[in-house]
């Protein structure tokens, strides 16, 4: 039933409150509701956070954000990891009602003495409930000092100090409590992080001078690449599958069906005579080598993320030990994976309906195996091709014992599925960012992920992956790579890139394709990182600066509160994060082929800024004065963006 003072249309709720909304330790987020009552008396509304142990925090007053529509909002921030909740408490605000009555009646000479008397009674109630308050003495004098002019007495009643007193120490008549509504509060890495992806077999790979054969890198050689990742200021190193690769149905270079004996196969074709999901590919080393790699990464300040791909090669040990895990066709063969027109003859998908108990238990066993080896982040391959209720079960099991473990969903799929996986427990998700390249669609998408779906799905912006080389990068030159990296790194608190991006690798396997030529999914890539840096063939310094800015500027570590502003040029994007002195302003030229000069217009009032304010440009170190209208000129061959923060005058 509706409460005495109705509270409806509560946000954030996921699936009508049956699933928890997403929150992060220390991350401020809005709580909104429509609150109304009968008649003309005033009401108040507050948000109260409920900690996992049931402790209720101090109330946070809600403000009306749409005059006349009874829509209220407050921003709150949980202080620890766990299963939190929030309540909305609505009440008849008798103090605000009396204050409004006094404003109306006293100047009109109506019930003046009675109004003062009623105020005294309310002030007595306030002090009985809350004890002496500093401004209460001045207010009591105004209510009782008949020698003072009415105007002076009314001025005290309507003063900001009185209003602040009434809001800080309200009298909550007709209290209505809605909730608690669930919040799943995660550690900061679930919201914020810069990811770098590399294939260990390519790191330290060499070409044998005698045979011309490529010699695989190992976990020991890949350790030397960790410093390169650290120097670019990344937080997370993501490894594609590092397990044995199937030999049956193996693909050749560029996804061909006729591999040679030298072809190494796709890491996502997991399992062979050497083991399955709990084994290391012998070319990469041993489990001890893996442990040493993770330990060294951690020592350098990197977290290691591991790929969790629930599928199997035709010679995975599961095929013989658990044929019920797969789909058997009418001719007795096991069905391989297909996504027409793509065919994956080297991969058997899992059938979750044949033996769900067995599959569920095996999936949990695998995760815990790697968790015990220090892995606390998993990138999950194609989770949208598995049942959502499976993920809800599995992620809840892990969260119950290890709430610090983070799962990134690689779900390039329809919005309902992406959001459904977020509701099921995934902490982050890949997004449509890769395919948003025009100004208007970028603006719309930034608004969506930061203000509309933020309670359900945390976005991770990736300008490239081993599967995706967008045409914007194929034909835009190094400027295109700088533009997309800047937008990803500054537009989302989590972003990532796949190795080779800093070298601006841009050649597709064929015109119109988003697949890389000589894709690293099917072969080892030998790169000379040091030579590229020495010869100026890398944008690694630009990447390092972007990631450094993400650490230096707190607003860039947030998702919510992003605001789009206007520019007069269809290729110049303007957005801000934060407000007041914590505001960061990003101006980005989206055109990799030409310079853009235009005026950008900032809604300084909405940002809580003065009409004119001093700024620091972080990419050049220059200091300027900005205001509502500002002239900018950005040449992509020199500088693709401005990143501005507010400085003290």
């Amino acid at each position: 039933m509706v409460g005495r003072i109705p509270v409806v249309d509560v946000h954030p709720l996921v699936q009508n409150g049956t699933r928890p909304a997403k929150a992060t330790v220390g991350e401020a987020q809005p709580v909104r509701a429509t609150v109304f009552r009968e008649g003309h008396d005033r009401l108040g509304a507050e948000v109260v956070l409920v900690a996992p142990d049931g402790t209720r925090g101090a109330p946070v007053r809600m403000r009306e954000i749409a005059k006349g529509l009874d829509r209220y909002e407050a921003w709150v921030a949980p202080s620890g990891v766990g299963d939190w909740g929030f309540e909305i408490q609505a009440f008849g605000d008798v103090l605000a009602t009396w204050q409004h009555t006094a404003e109306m009646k006293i100047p009109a000479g109506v019930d003046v003495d009675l109004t003062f008397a009623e105020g005294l009674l309310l002030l007595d109630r306030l002090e009985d409930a809350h004890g002496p308050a500093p401004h209460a003495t001045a207010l009591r004098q105004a209510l009782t000092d008949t020698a003072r002019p009415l105007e002076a007495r009314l001025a005290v009643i309507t003063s900001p100090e009185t209003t602040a007193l009434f809001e800080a120490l309200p009298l909550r008549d007709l209290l209505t409590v809605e909730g608690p509504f669930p919040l799943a509060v995660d550690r900061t890495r679930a919201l914020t992080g810069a990811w770098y992806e590399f294939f260990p077999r390519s790191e330290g790979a060499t070409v044998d001078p005698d045979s011309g054969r490529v010699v695989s890198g190992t976990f020991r050689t890949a350790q030397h690449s960790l410093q390169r990742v650290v120097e670019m200021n990344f937080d997370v190193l993501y490894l594609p599958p590092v397990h044995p690769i199937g030999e049956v149905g193996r693909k050749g270079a560029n996804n061909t069906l006729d591999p040679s004996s030298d072809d190494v196969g796709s890491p996502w074709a997991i399992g062979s005579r050497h083991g399955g999901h709990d084994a290391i590919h012998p070319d990469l080393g041993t489990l001890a080598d893996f442990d040493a790699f993770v330990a060294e990464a951690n020592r350098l300040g990197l977290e290691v993320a591991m790929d969790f791909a629930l599928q199997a090669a035709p010679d995975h040990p599961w095929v013989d030990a658990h044929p019920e895990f797969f789909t058997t066709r009418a001719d007795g063969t096991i069905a391989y994976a297909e996504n027409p027109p793509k065919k994956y003859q080297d991969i058997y998908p899992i059938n979750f309906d044949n033996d769900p108990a067995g599959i569920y238990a095996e999936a949990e066993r695998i995760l815990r195996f790697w968790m015990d080896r220090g892995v606390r982040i998993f990138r999950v391959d194609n989770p949208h091709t598995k049942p959502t209720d499976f993920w809800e079960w599995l992620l809840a099991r892990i969260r119950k014992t290890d709430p610090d473990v983070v799962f990134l969903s690689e779900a390039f799929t329809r919005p309902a599925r992406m959001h459904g996986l977020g509701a099921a427990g995934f902490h982050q998700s890949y997004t449509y960012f890769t395919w948003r390249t025009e100004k208007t669609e970028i603006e719309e998408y930034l608004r969506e992920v930061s203000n509309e779906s933020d309670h359900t799905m945390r976005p991770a912006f990736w300008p490239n992956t081993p599967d995706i080389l967008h045409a914007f990068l194929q034909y835009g030159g190094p400027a295109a790579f700088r533009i997309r990296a800047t937008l990803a790194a500054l537009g989302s608190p989590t972003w990532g890139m796949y190795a080779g991006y800093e070298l601006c690798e841009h050649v597709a396997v064929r015109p119109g394709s988003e697949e890389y030529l000589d894709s690293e999914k099917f072969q080892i890539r030998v790169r000379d990182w040091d030579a590229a840096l020495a010869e100026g063939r890398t944008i690694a310094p630009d990447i390092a600066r972007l990631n450094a800015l993400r650490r230096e500027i707190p607003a860039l570590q947030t998702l919510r509160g992003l605001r789009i502003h206007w520019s007069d040029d269809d290729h110049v994007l303007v957005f801000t994060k934060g407000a007041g002195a914590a505001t960061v302003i990003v101006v980005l030229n989206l055109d990799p082929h030409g310079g853009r000069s235009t005026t950008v217009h900032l809604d300084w009032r909405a940002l809580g800024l003065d009409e004119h304010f001093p700024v620091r440009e972080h990419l050049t170190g220059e200091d300027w004065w900005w205001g509502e209208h500002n002239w900018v000129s950005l040449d992509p061959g020199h500088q693709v963006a401005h990143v501005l923060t507010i400085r003290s005058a």
Side-chain angles (χ1 to χ4, degrees):
M1 290 185 60
V2 68
R4 176 62 179 80
I5 297 179
V7 177
V8 298
D9 296 333
V10 175
H11 174 91
L13 294 186
V14 175
Q15 297 178 3
N16 296 319
T18 61
R19 302 292 184 273
K22 285 186 164 27
T24 310
V25 173
E27 174 199 15
Q29 67 177 66
V31 175
R32 304 185 187 103
T34 299
V35 188
F36 56 91
R37 64 170 301 181
E38 81 291 344
H40 301 287
D41 286 357
R42 296 296 195 256
L43 61 81
E46 297 170 330
V47 176
V48 174
L49 285 176
V50 183
D53 64 359
T55 302
R56 280 161 171 74
V60 179
R61 187 79 175 217
M62 302 182 80
R63 304 293 178 188
E64 193 172 10
I65 58 174
K67 289 293 183 182
L69 297 180
D70 301 312
R71 192 68 175 163
Y72 290 81
E73 176 186 85
W75 287 70
V76 294
S79 59
V81 171
D83 296 326
W84 287 64
F86 67 91
E87 293 177 342
I88 296 179
Q89 300 183 356
F91 51 88
D93 193 337
V94 293
L95 293 170
T97 299
W98 171 79
Q99 186 183 42
H100 177 68
T101 298
E103 288 181 281
M104 297 297 103
K105 288 189 173 184
I106 292 174
V110 177
D111 296 334
V112 174
D113 292 339
L114 181 59
T115 300
F116 283 127
E118 290 171 341
L120 280 172
L121 292 175
L122 289 175
L123 190 55
D124 289 341
R125 281 187 59 192
L126 183 148
E127 292 189 310
D128 287 343
H130 300 291
H135 184 67
T137 301
L139 179 57
R140 186 176 295 279
Q141 290 174 349
L143 294 175
T144 57
D145 187 357
T146 58
R148 296 172 66 181
L150 284 179
E151 293 81 0
R153 299 168 73 187
L154 179 61
V156 176
I157 293 171
T158 59
S159 68
E161 291 80 8
T162 298
T163 300
L165 171 66
F166 288 174
E167 290 190 353
L169 304 174
L171 297 176
R172 299 177 177 87
D173 287 2
L174 309 177
L175 182 65
T176 299
V177 179
E178 294 292 346
F181 303 102
L183 280 178
V185 182
D186 302 307
R187 66 183 177 110
T188 302
R189 184 63 68 227
L191 171 70
T192 301
W195 290 47
Y196 186 86
E197 175 182 4
F198 72 41
F199 288 70
R201 67 187 186 184
S202 291
E203 300 301 320
T206 58
V207 177
D208 184 271
D210 297 326
S211 65
R213 296 180 62 180
V214 175
V215 179
S216 173
T218 68
F219 276 118
R220 293 193 176 277
T221 62
Q223 275 197 38
H224 301 297
S225 297
L226 293 174
Q227 188 60 42
R228 185 182 86 250
V229 181
V230 169
E231 289 172 357
M232 288 188 286
N233 294 312
F234 283 98
D235 307 304
V236 178
L237 175 64
Y238 155 48
L239 305 177
V242 295
H243 315 297
I245 296 172
E247 299 169 351
V248 176
R250 176 174 288 189
K251 296 294 189 72
N254 292 310
N255 202 21
T256 57
L257 296 175
D258 53 346
S260 71
S261 58
D262 292 336
D263 282 314
V264 292
S266 167
W268 282 274
I270 297 171
S272 75
R273 56 193 171 89
H274 298 292
H277 284 73
D278 54 1
I280 293 292
H281 194 297
D283 287 353
L284 297 178
T286 65
L287 281 170
D289 294 330
F290 174 83
D291 294 342
F293 178 86
V294 172
E296 177 62 10
N298 293 166
R299 187 188 71 80
L300 293 172
L302 286 169
E303 290 197 64
V304 173
M306 195 170 183
D307 203 282
F308 183 55
L310 279 179
Q311 56 207 33
D315 42 336
H316 191 293
W318 285 345
V319 176
D320 289 331
H322 298 284
E324 67 277 7
F325 284 6
F326 308 99
T327 297
T328 302
R329 305 185 69 178
D331 62 359
T333 61
I334 294 177
Y336 58 74
E338 295 184 79
N339 183 18
K342 295 181 179 180
K343 294 185 177 183
Y344 304 92
Q345 295 90 338
D346 55 340
I347 293 173
Y348 287 168
I350 303 298
N351 184 327
F352 283 79
D353 297 323
N354 288 347
D355 180 21
I359 294 169
Y360 283 30
E362 181 69 353
E364 182 179 0
R365 183 191 70 81
I366 293 167
L367 284 176
R368 294 195 181 279
F369 177 87
W370 296 108
M371 287 161 54
D372 289 344
R373 309 198 87 86
V375 178
R376 313 306 287 179
I377 304 178
F378 293 91
R379 178 268 196 189
V380 179
D381 189 68
N382 285 327
H384 56 289
T385 62
K386 286 80 177 172
T388 304
D389 59 349
F390 160 72
W391 293 119
E392 185 171 50
W393 176 88
L394 180 62
L395 271 55
R397 293 272 297 182
I398 300 300
R399 183 180 182 85
K400 185 175 182 179
T401 59
D402 297 81
D404 64 312
V405 176
V406 173
F407 291 89
L408 169 64
S409 163
E410 187 249 359
F412 295 114
T413 183
R414 297 192 296 273
R417 289 186 181 180
M418 291 171 62
H419 296 166
L421 290 166
F426 277 93
H427 300 82
Q428 301 175 354
S429 178
Y430 283 58
T431 67
Y432 303 134
F433 166 80
T434 315
W435 297 276
R436 300 294 188 264
T437 58
E438 300 296 326
K439 178 181 174 180
T440 54
E441 60 188 11
I442 292 171
E443 290 177 337
E444 291 172 359
Y445 203 56
L446 288 175
R447 288 191 189 98
E448 177 185 327
V449 298
S450 64
N451 295 292
E452 298 172 15
S453 61
D454 53 290
H455 61 299
T456 304
M457 183 191 81
R458 296 189 187 98
F461 284 1
W462 287 71
N464 78 325
T465 74
D467 286 307
I468 305 168
L469 174 65
H470 192 277
F472 189 89
L473 299 178
Q474 295 179 33
Y475 302 107
F481 284 80
R482 290 189 176 95
I483 289 168
R484 295 300 287 178
T486 301
L487 181 56
L490 306 185
S492 173
T494 288
W495 85 291
M497 70 182 216
Y498 151 58
Y501 188 94
E502 64 268 51
L503 302 184
C504 303
E505 294 176 353
H506 65 280
V507 181
V509 67
R510 68 183 68 85
S513 172
E514 288 187 343
E515 292 278 347
Y516 280 90
L517 177 66
D518 299 330
S519 170
E520 202 168 355
K521 291 195 304 177
F522 304 105
Q523 59 194 86
I524 296 172
R525 182 73 63 87
V526 179
R527 300 181 177 97
D528 191 335
W529 300 105
D530 293 335
L533 184 62
E535 297 166 11
R537 293 186 289 105
T538 176
I539 63 169
D542 302 272
I543 302 298
R545 184 61 184 137
L546 288 173
N547 284 333
L549 287 177
R550 288 167 48 86
R551 294 176 178 176
E552 294 168 15
I553 303 173
L556 293 176
Q557 302 164 24
T558 64
L559 172 62
R560 301 177 171 100
L562 184 147
R563 186 181 299 271
I564 301 294
H565 300 264
W566 179 258
S567 82
D568 294 338
D569 191 301
D570 288 341
H571 292 83
V572 176
L573 174 71
V574 188
F575 65 89
T576 59
K577 289 186 172 185
T583 301
V584 58
I585 305 164
V586 178
V587 183
L588 178 63
N589 179 2
L590 300 173
D591 181 3
H593 303 292
R596 295 282 170 170
S597 298
T598 188
T599 300
V600 302
H601 310 274
L602 295 179
D603 187 348
W604 55 273
R605 294 178 184 85
L607 295 172
L609 297 173
D610 295 331
E611 186 173 1
H612 299 285
F613 48 90
V615 296
R616 167 68 49 84
E617 210 293 327
H618 285 266
L619 297 178
T620 65
E622 296 176 274
D623 292 336
W624 304 327
W625 280 86
W626 269 39
E628 183 173 3
H629 311 293
N630 311 277
W631 177 257
V632 299
S633 183
L634 291 168
D635 179 353
H638 172 65
Q639 184 178 353
V640 300
H642 290 314
V643 182
L644 311 169
T645 57
I646 312 304
R647 61 182 175 86
S648 57

